[in-house]
Each structure stands twice: as C-alpha cells, then as structure tokens.
Amino acid sequence: MTKHHGMTALKGIAAHCRMGRESSRDDRFGRLFPNLAPVYTRPDILSDIGAQGGPMDGGTNADRTDSVPVGHVFFGQFVDHDVTLDVSSSFSRVNEPSEIENRRTPTLDLDCIYGAGPEDAPFMYVQTGDFAGVKLLTGADEPSTGDAAADALRAEDLLRAPNGRAIIGDNRNDENRIVSQIQLAFIRFHNAMADKAKADHPELSGGELFEEARRLTTWHYQWGLVTDFLVAMCGEGIVNDILACGRRFYCPVEPQIPVEFAVAAYRFGHSMAPMKIQVQKGDTAFELFGQILGRGFSPLGDQRAVVDWRELMFVPDKAGVQRAEKMNTKLATDLLDLPFVGAGDESSLATRNLLRSNSFLLPGGDKIAAEMGRSEAEIETVMNLVGTISDGRIAEGAPLWLYILAEAEAIGRLDANGQGEQNEGLGPVGGRIVAEVLIGLLELDEHSWLGGNRNWSPDPAFDSIGKILVSQNAAMF
C-alpha cells in the first residue's frame, strides 16, 4: 500500500511510541512487557542462590570497577527515593502492579527535597527575610546550643526534630550517612540557586523566586542524571541511542514506574555497594553502618563522618576517587544476612530480590532479552553464567534481577562503539530498561529539562553530579 503524507510511521519520537499506549495511572506501578508470560522459579532454588556462603557471596574483599565512582551508587539510591515508594507489596502473595500504590511522584522533581512545598510544609523552609518560603532549612539554621562542638556538627547535618529524626521530604534519605549527606548537599544547592535566581532576577520574590530556584536545581540534577550517572551505569552507547533514536520499550501515556525497573533492573546497585567507605582524605574506611557513620536515622555524631565529595565523585581536579564495587553476580557478604530483618523473615538481600520476581509475575530475563532483539549467542552466554550460579537448575526463564547482574558480568556496559565493558555497568538489557525509564520520565514531564526546554544547558560549573555535590562541600574541605 502506498504511504501518503501523514501515514508514514514516525520513528524515534517518544510521543508517538507504538507500544504500551493503554491508559495508566501515575500513582500505580505498571509493566514494560505485559504480553510476556511470567516465570516461576522454586523458592528453595532462589534461597540457595542468595544464601550467605552461596554462589552470590562476594566475601569481604573489595573488587572495584575501573570507571564508576562509589558516590554514584548512593546517588542511585537517592534517585530511587525520588521516584518510587512501595509500602504494600508482599513476598507472600502475587502482587498486581496496577493495584500497588507508588507513594512518590513518578517524576524526577526532587520532591524528596521539597516535600509538599513551602505552603503545605512551612516547617522545612526559612520563614523570615528576603528568602522566606524560598530557602530550605538545615541543621545550620538551628539555634546555638552553647556547645561549640555540638553546633559544628549540627552545621553539617540535616534539620532534625528533638528525637533526632530528620525533617525532610522523604525520611528514607536519612537511612545511611552517605545518602543523608547527598540530601544535605542538594538542599544547600537549592539555596545557592535561590541566591543566583535573585541576583539574575531581582524582581522575583516569594513563590516566583522559589519556583525559579527549584527549576534551576531540578534541571541541573536531571542533566547530571542523564549525562553523568546514566552514562556511568548504563553505558554511553545506550544513552546516546535513546537520545538520538528514541525509546523503544518504555512508552506509557503518563509517567509510570514499571515493575521490571523497580523490582529488578534498578536494584543493580546492591551488587556495587561497599561495606566500608572512606569519606575524607587520609582517613580510614569506615563501616557503612558502624560507629562513625552511624546506624542511620540519627544525627551526625562525628566530624569524620562529614563527606568530602572529592573522595567519592569524579571532578576535574581530583584523581584518587574511591570506586564502586564491580557490577556482577556477587554481593558483599554482609548484605546476605541483614541484621535489621525481623526474626523468621528472609535476611538475604539477594534472596529477597529474587523472590520479588515470583511475587510480581516478572518474565524471565532471557525472554525479555529476546523480546528486545538481543542475539541468541548473547543470551546463551548470559544464561550459561546463570546456569553455573544455579548449579544447572535454571536453564531458561532466569529471574530478571539475576539475569541483569549476570549480563553485566558476562557482556558488560556498552561503550560509545557498542563494545562491552565487563563488570563496569549494566549490560544491554538492564541498561536499556534503566535508561529508557529514567529518560522517559523526563520526556513525559512538561516541567523537566527534556520535557520543557530541550535547548537548555546547565551552568558548566554544575554539569555533573560530582560538580554539584563538591560545590556544596563543607568549609572544612
């Protein structure tokens, strides 16, 4: 049939994606591959795979990537808290995504920083002066205690209630010291953008000034997420392809979080998380949940726990940055026996992730790879590794999270030329899911950089996540 003007299929334009055009609710989860059959793997097999001392136990020795700064692992956790919060799913039943409420907005709008905004959450904002209802409060804004050492600690911490809990938009951003310091850095960055907005537009005040500061803050954050974080985790080849040719699989009508992303692909960071981390130059590496860095959900208790971001993120004038653990089928042994899990509950983080594949009726990773057009040879290479890990008990229909980690190990992150860099980042399936979803959330949001003004570019001083965080380093650095 002749294709007349207006009848030719449009390629590479997110608004005209030909898949997944059914209506969806943005406060519920969804699916990327609703037409693929779910895989079932016996729970005892999953427990054996994820057990401490089992095939996924990476031990206690560090095995670092060559190219990913460790700060990106915790920034990834910060991003997760910006777009997802599931408090109702369970391992003990089948979970239907359309019935599971997402308590976060599925947009990269930093609502974890802003909460309900200055009108509905005034206790988070400055209330007097030129920046009333514009700047956010931190521990530095609390009245002096008369104890110089205590005041110095509070100056490098989040605003806190008398019980020590952080007064922030998402309490999960206080669950470890590194992510709480990211929260603090972005609050400070917003306040710096408020100063910039006022200097550039003296006529602005109140709500208008707040919105301009928020736009500058979120757009710099979004730029760094795409051009820095996603390139590091998903590969320059995949990110460039999506930006040049459009999304192929994540094509909802409204922004929505698919369970293939939330339940499996975006849990890649568990493989890269170190159990010890050095946060200041020349100091020792501390346990992530130890005496110095704290157990989480608690005030800063030691100046040595204040993060110098030059030690954790790449910036132009700093070379010796701590790297993330390799992305592969191994997790730190501590993660395979979590101390805070209740008696009788599954304590292995790996097993918990694997069980989610069953409970959310996820398709097998190899089936998704085939649907994505990956070659039989590539899928076989990944499945051979899955077979080794499972002692031959998983020949096909691999749990998606396990497939994605095995793919990172066997194939690796795709560089600009499409070559795999093993253990450095997500492979072609995992990378495509993560990058398409996060880029898609931006493209579907008219208030974002990619959804609102694709010709915008950031201040070069803040064009990466590392530069943003380092710009807000404490005076002691």
Side-chain angles (χ1 to χ4, degrees), residues 103-118:
R103 297 283 183 91
R104 295 249 65 88
T105 58
T107 50
L108 292 153
D109 58 1
L110 287 177
D111 61 345
C112 57
I113 295 293
Y114 297 108

mmCIF file with all atom_site columns, all heavy atoms in Angstrom, residues 103-118:
data_model
loop_
_atom_site.group_PDB
_atom_site.id
_atom_site.type_symbol
_atom_site.label_atom_id
_atom_site.label_alt_id
_atom_site.label_comp_id
_atom_site.label_asym_id
_atom_site.label_entity_id
_atom_site.label_seq_id
_atom_site.pdbx_PDB_ins_code
_atom_site.Cartn_x
_atom_site.Cartn_y
_atom_site.Cartn_z
_atom_site.occupancy
_atom_site.B_iso_or_equiv
_atom_site.pdbx_formal_charge
_atom_site.auth_seq_id
_atom_site.auth_comp_id
_atom_site.auth_asym_id
_atom_site.auth_atom_id
_atom_site.pdbx_PDB_model_num
ATOM 1   N N   . ARG A 1 103 ? 3.948  5.710  46.378 1.00 0.00 ? 103 ARG A N   1
ATOM 2   C CA  . ARG A 1 103 ? 3.774  6.864  47.258 1.00 0.00 ? 103 ARG A CA  1
ATOM 3   C C   . ARG A 1 103 ? 4.641  8.063  46.845 1.00 0.00 ? 103 ARG A C   1
ATOM 4   O O   . ARG A 1 103 ? 4.569  9.106  47.474 1.00 0.00 ? 103 ARG A O   1
ATOM 5   C CB  . ARG A 1 103 ? 4.103  6.465  48.699 1.00 0.00 ? 103 ARG A CB  1
ATOM 6   C CG  . ARG A 1 103 ? 3.186  5.392  49.282 1.00 0.00 ? 103 ARG A CG  1
ATOM 7   C CD  . ARG A 1 103 ? 1.838  5.972  49.675 1.00 0.00 ? 103 ARG A CD  1
ATOM 8   N NE  . ARG A 1 103 ? 0.986  4.978  50.300 1.00 0.00 ? 103 ARG A NE  1
ATOM 9   C CZ  . ARG A 1 103 ? 0.943  4.747  51.620 1.00 0.00 ? 103 ARG A CZ  1
ATOM 10  N NH1 . ARG A 1 103 ? 1.733  5.432  52.420 1.00 0.00 ? 103 ARG A NH1 1
ATOM 11  N NH2 . ARG A 1 103 ? 0.140  3.820  52.106 1.00 0.00 ? 103 ARG A NH2 1
ATOM 12  N N   . ARG A 1 104 ? 5.497  7.896  45.846 1.00 0.00 ? 104 ARG A N   1
ATOM 13  C CA  . ARG A 1 104 ? 6.281  9.018  45.328 1.00 0.00 ? 104 ARG A CA  1
ATOM 14  C C   . ARG A 1 104 ? 5.746  9.402  43.961 1.00 0.00 ? 104 ARG A C   1
ATOM 15  O O   . ARG A 1 104 ? 5.168  8.560  43.250 1.00 0.00 ? 104 ARG A O   1
ATOM 16  C CB  . ARG A 1 104 ? 7.756  8.651  45.209 1.00 0.00 ? 104 ARG A CB  1
ATOM 17  C CG  . ARG A 1 104 ? 8.430  8.375  46.531 1.00 0.00 ? 104 ARG A CG  1
ATOM 18  C CD  . ARG A 1 104 ? 9.441  9.442  46.890 1.00 0.00 ? 104 ARG A CD  1
ATOM 19  N NE  . ARG A 1 104 ? 8.865  10.754 47.121 1.00 0.00 ? 104 ARG A NE  1
ATOM 20  C CZ  . ARG A 1 104 ? 8.410  11.163 48.304 1.00 0.00 ? 104 ARG A CZ  1
ATOM 21  N NH1 . ARG A 1 104 ? 8.441  10.369 49.335 1.00 0.00 ? 104 ARG A NH1 1
ATOM 22  N NH2 . ARG A 1 104 ? 7.916  12.362 48.437 1.00 0.00 ? 104 ARG A NH2 1
ATOM 23  N N   . THR A 1 105 ? 5.934  10.639 43.560 1.00 0.00 ? 105 THR A N   1
ATOM 24  C CA  . THR A 1 105 ? 5.553  11.038 42.210 1.00 0.00 ? 105 THR A CA  1
ATOM 25  C C   . THR A 1 105 ? 6.527  10.422 41.214 1.00 0.00 ? 105 THR A C   1
ATOM 26  O O   . THR A 1 105 ? 7.740  10.473 41.432 1.00 0.00 ? 105 THR A O   1
ATOM 27  C CB  . THR A 1 105 ? 5.576  12.570 42.053 1.00 0.00 ? 105 THR A CB  1
ATOM 28  O OG1 . THR A 1 105 ? 6.887  13.061 42.373 1.00 0.00 ? 105 THR A OG1 1
ATOM 29  C CG2 . THR A 1 105 ? 4.549  13.221 42.953 1.00 0.00 ? 105 THR A CG2 1
ATOM 30  N N   . PRO A 1 106 ? 6.048  9.824  40.114 1.00 0.00 ? 106 PRO A N   1
ATOM 31  C CA  . PRO A 1 106 ? 6.951  9.203  39.139 1.00 0.00 ? 106 PRO A CA  1
ATOM 32  C C   . PRO A 1 106 ? 7.561  10.242 38.199 1.00 0.00 ? 106 PRO A C   1
ATOM 33  O O   . PRO A 1 106 ? 7.505  10.121 36.977 1.00 0.00 ? 106 PRO A O   1
ATOM 34  C CB  . PRO A 1 106 ? 6.021  8.237  38.401 1.00 0.00 ? 106 PRO A CB  1
ATOM 35  C CG  . PRO A 1 106 ? 4.700  8.920  38.424 1.00 0.00 ? 106 PRO A CG  1
ATOM 36  C CD  . PRO A 1 106 ? 4.630  9.643  39.747 1.00 0.00 ? 106 PRO A CD  1
ATOM 37  N N   . THR A 1 107 ? 8.090  11.295 38.784 1.00 0.00 ? 107 THR A N   1
ATOM 38  C CA  . THR A 1 107 ? 8.793  12.332 38.039 1.00 0.00 ? 107 THR A CA  1
ATOM 39  C C   . THR A 1 107 ? 10.048 12.689 38.818 1.00 0.00 ? 107 THR A C   1
ATOM 40  O O   . THR A 1 107 ? 10.058 12.634 40.053 1.00 0.00 ? 107 THR A O   1
ATOM 41  C CB  . THR A 1 107 ? 7.927  13.587 37.854 1.00 0.00 ? 107 THR A CB  1
ATOM 42  O OG1 . THR A 1 107 ? 7.373  13.976 39.116 1.00 0.00 ? 107 THR A OG1 1
ATOM 43  C CG2 . THR A 1 107 ? 6.804  13.344 36.856 1.00 0.00 ? 107 THR A CG2 1
ATOM 44  N N   . LEU A 1 108 ? 11.086 13.066 38.110 1.00 0.00 ? 108 LEU A N   1
ATOM 45  C CA  . LEU A 1 108 ? 12.367 13.385 38.744 1.00 0.00 ? 108 LEU A CA  1
ATOM 46  C C   . LEU A 1 108 ? 12.352 14.844 39.171 1.00 0.00 ? 108 LEU A C   1
ATOM 47  O O   . LEU A 1 108 ? 13.097 15.690 38.670 1.00 0.00 ? 108 LEU A O   1
ATOM 48  C CB  . LEU A 1 108 ? 13.498 13.074 37.771 1.00 0.00 ? 108 LEU A CB  1
ATOM 49  C CG  . LEU A 1 108 ? 13.655 11.560 37.512 1.00 0.00 ? 108 LEU A CG  1
ATOM 50  C CD1 . LEU A 1 108 ? 14.251 11.288 36.144 1.00 0.00 ? 108 LEU A CD1 1
ATOM 51  C CD2 . LEU A 1 108 ? 14.486 10.920 38.614 1.00 0.00 ? 108 LEU A CD2 1
ATOM 52  N N   . ASP A 1 109 ? 11.477 15.133 40.153 1.00 0.00 ? 109 ASP A N   1
ATOM 53  C CA  . ASP A 1 109 ? 11.210 16.510 40.547 1.00 0.00 ? 109 ASP A CA  1
ATOM 54  C C   . ASP A 1 109 ? 11.775 16.877 41.909 1.00 0.00 ? 109 ASP A C   1
ATOM 55  O O   . ASP A 1 109 ? 11.510 17.968 42.428 1.00 0.00 ? 109 ASP A O   1
ATOM 56  C CB  . ASP A 1 109 ? 9.702  16.771 40.534 1.00 0.00 ? 109 ASP A CB  1
ATOM 57  C CG  . ASP A 1 109 ? 8.929  15.830 41.459 1.00 0.00 ? 109 ASP A CG  1
ATOM 58  O OD1 . ASP A 1 109 ? 9.560  14.980 42.122 1.00 0.00 ? 109 ASP A OD1 1
ATOM 59  O OD2 . ASP A 1 109 ? 7.683  15.938 41.499 1.00 0.00 ? 109 ASP A OD2 1
ATOM 60  N N   . LEU A 1 110 ? 12.551 15.979 42.508 1.00 0.00 ? 110 LEU A N   1
ATOM 61  C CA  . LEU A 1 110 ? 13.166 16.218 43.816 1.00 0.00 ? 110 LEU A CA  1
ATOM 62  C C   . LEU A 1 110 ? 12.125 16.512 44.898 1.00 0.00 ? 110 LEU A C   1
ATOM 63  O O   . LEU A 1 110 ? 12.368 17.294 45.807 1.00 0.00 ? 110 LEU A O   1
ATOM 64  C CB  . LEU A 1 110 ? 14.185 17.363 43.743 1.00 0.00 ? 110 LEU A CB  1
ATOM 65  C CG  . LEU A 1 110 ? 15.504 17.053 43.021 1.00 0.00 ? 110 LEU A CG  1
ATOM 66  C CD1 . LEU A 1 110 ? 16.391 18.299 42.961 1.00 0.00 ? 110 LEU A CD1 1
ATOM 67  C CD2 . LEU A 1 110 ? 16.257 15.921 43.702 1.00 0.00 ? 110 LEU A CD2 1
ATOM 68  N N   . ASP A 1 111 ? 10.983 15.843 44.819 1.00 0.00 ? 111 ASP A N   1
ATOM 69  C CA  . ASP A 1 111 ? 10.017 16.037 45.898 1.00 0.00 ? 111 ASP A CA  1
ATOM 70  C C   . ASP A 1 111 ? 10.540 15.475 47.220 1.00 0.00 ? 111 ASP A C   1
ATOM 71  O O   . ASP A 1 111 ? 10.036 15.834 48.287 1.00 0.00 ? 111 ASP A O   1
ATOM 72  C CB  . ASP A 1 111 ? 8.648  15.451 45.552 1.00 0.00 ? 111 ASP A CB  1
ATOM 73  C CG  . ASP A 1 111 ? 8.663  13.953 45.294 1.00 0.00 ? 111 ASP A CG  1
ATOM 74  O OD1 . ASP A 1 111 ? 9.749  13.395 45.106 1.00 0.00 ? 111 ASP A OD1 1
ATOM 75  O OD2 . ASP A 1 111 ? 7.571  13.351 45.268 1.00 0.00 ? 111 ASP A OD2 1
ATOM 76  N N   . CYS A 1 112 ? 11.574 14.634 47.151 1.00 0.00 ? 112 CYS A N   1
ATOM 77  C CA  . CYS A 1 112 ? 12.223 14.184 48.387 1.00 0.00 ? 112 CYS A CA  1
ATOM 78  C C   . CYS A 1 112 ? 12.955 15.343 49.069 1.00 0.00 ? 112 CYS A C   1
ATOM 79  O O   . CYS A 1 112 ? 13.199 15.307 50.278 1.00 0.00 ? 112 CYS A O   1
ATOM 80  C CB  . CYS A 1 112 ? 13.188 13.038 48.102 1.00 0.00 ? 112 CYS A CB  1
ATOM 81  S SG  . CYS A 1 112 ? 14.479 13.425 46.899 1.00 0.00 ? 112 CYS A SG  1
ATOM 82  N N   . ILE A 1 113 ? 13.300 16.380 48.298 1.00 0.00 ? 113 ILE A N   1
ATOM 83  C CA  . ILE A 1 113 ? 13.914 17.580 48.854 1.00 0.00 ? 113 ILE A CA  1
ATOM 84  C C   . ILE A 1 113 ? 12.836 18.582 49.279 1.00 0.00 ? 113 ILE A C   1
ATOM 85  O O   . ILE A 1 113 ? 12.885 19.157 50.374 1.00 0.00 ? 113 ILE A O   1
ATOM 86  C CB  . ILE A 1 113 ? 14.842 18.250 47.822 1.00 0.00 ? 113 ILE A CB  1
ATOM 87  C CG1 . ILE A 1 113 ? 16.036 17.338 47.494 1.00 0.00 ? 113 ILE A CG1 1
ATOM 88  C CG2 . ILE A 1 113 ? 15.325 19.617 48.314 1.00 0.00 ? 113 ILE A CG2 1
ATOM 89  C CD1 . ILE A 1 113 ? 16.997 17.128 48.637 1.00 0.00 ? 113 ILE A CD1 1
ATOM 90  N N   . TYR A 1 114 ? 11.848 18.803 48.430 1.00 0.00 ? 114 TYR A N   1
ATOM 91  C CA  . TYR A 1 114 ? 10.889 19.892 48.639 1.00 0.00 ? 114 TYR A CA  1
ATOM 92  C C   . TYR A 1 114 ? 9.669  19.500 49.453 1.00 0.00 ? 114 TYR A C   1
ATOM 93  O O   . TYR A 1 114 ? 8.931  20.375 49.916 1.00 0.00 ? 114 TYR A O   1
ATOM 94  C CB  . TYR A 1 114 ? 10.460 20.452 47.277 1.00 0.00 ? 114 TYR A CB  1
ATOM 95  C CG  . TYR A 1 114 ? 11.623 21.048 46.524 1.00 0.00 ? 114 TYR A CG  1
ATOM 96  C CD1 . TYR A 1 114 ? 12.154 20.413 45.405 1.00 0.00 ? 114 TYR A CD1 1
ATOM 97  C CD2 . TYR A 1 114 ? 12.216 22.222 46.958 1.00 0.00 ? 114 TYR A CD2 1
ATOM 98  C CE1 . TYR A 1 114 ? 13.235 20.942 44.727 1.00 0.00 ? 114 TYR A CE1 1
ATOM 99  C CE2 . TYR A 1 114 ? 13.299 22.763 46.284 1.00 0.00 ? 114 TYR A CE2 1
ATOM 100 C CZ  . TYR A 1 114 ? 13.814 22.115 45.171 1.00 0.00 ? 114 TYR A CZ  1
ATOM 101 O OH  . TYR A 1 114 ? 14.891 22.653 44.515 1.00 0.00 ? 114 TYR A OH  1
ATOM 102 N N   . GLY A 1 115 ? 9.451  18.201 49.637 1.00 0.00 ? 115 GLY A N   1
ATOM 103 C CA  . GLY A 1 115 ? 8.273  17.783 50.366 1.00 0.00 ? 115 GLY A CA  1
ATOM 104 C C   . GLY A 1 115 ? 7.013  18.311 49.701 1.00 0.00 ? 115 GLY A C   1
ATOM 105 O O   . GLY A 1 115 ? 6.901  18.325 48.471 1.00 0.00 ? 115 GLY A O   1
ATOM 106 N N   . ALA A 1 116 ? 6.079  18.776 50.478 1.00 0.00 ? 116 ALA A N   1
ATOM 107 C CA  . ALA A 1 116 ? 4.823  19.305 49.948 1.00 0.00 ? 116 ALA A CA  1
ATOM 108 C C   . ALA A 1 116 ? 4.937  20.778 49.557 1.00 0.00 ? 116 ALA A C   1
ATOM 109 O O   . ALA A 1 116 ? 3.944  21.386 49.157 1.00 0.00 ? 116 ALA A O   1
ATOM 110 C CB  . ALA A 1 116 ? 3.712  19.128 50.970 1.00 0.00 ? 116 ALA A CB  1
ATOM 111 N N   . GLY A 1 117 ? 6.148  21.362 49.672 1.00 0.00 ? 117 GLY A N   1
ATOM 112 C CA  . GLY A 1 117 ? 6.350  22.752 49.280 1.00 0.00 ? 117 GLY A CA  1
ATOM 113 C C   . GLY A 1 117 ? 6.197  23.715 50.442 1.00 0.00 ? 117 GLY A C   1
ATOM 114 O O   . GLY A 1 117 ? 5.747  23.344 51.532 1.00 0.00 ? 117 GLY A O   1
ATOM 115 N N   . PRO A 1 118 ? 6.583  24.974 50.235 1.00 0.00 ? 118 PRO A N   1
ATOM 116 C CA  . PRO A 1 118 ? 6.616  25.939 51.338 1.00 0.00 ? 118 PRO A CA  1
ATOM 117 C C   . PRO A 1 118 ? 5.258  26.287 51.931 1.00 0.00 ? 118 PRO A C   1
ATOM 118 O O   . PRO A 1 118 ? 5.179  26.714 53.090 1.00 0.00 ? 118 PRO A O   1
ATOM 119 C CB  . PRO A 1 118 ? 7.271  27.176 50.706 1.00 0.00 ? 118 PRO A CB  1
ATOM 120 C CG  . PRO A 1 118 ? 7.144  27.002 49.236 1.00 0.00 ? 118 PRO A CG  1
ATOM 121 C CD  . PRO A 1 118 ? 7.132  25.538 48.989 1.00 0.00 ? 118 PRO A CD  1
#
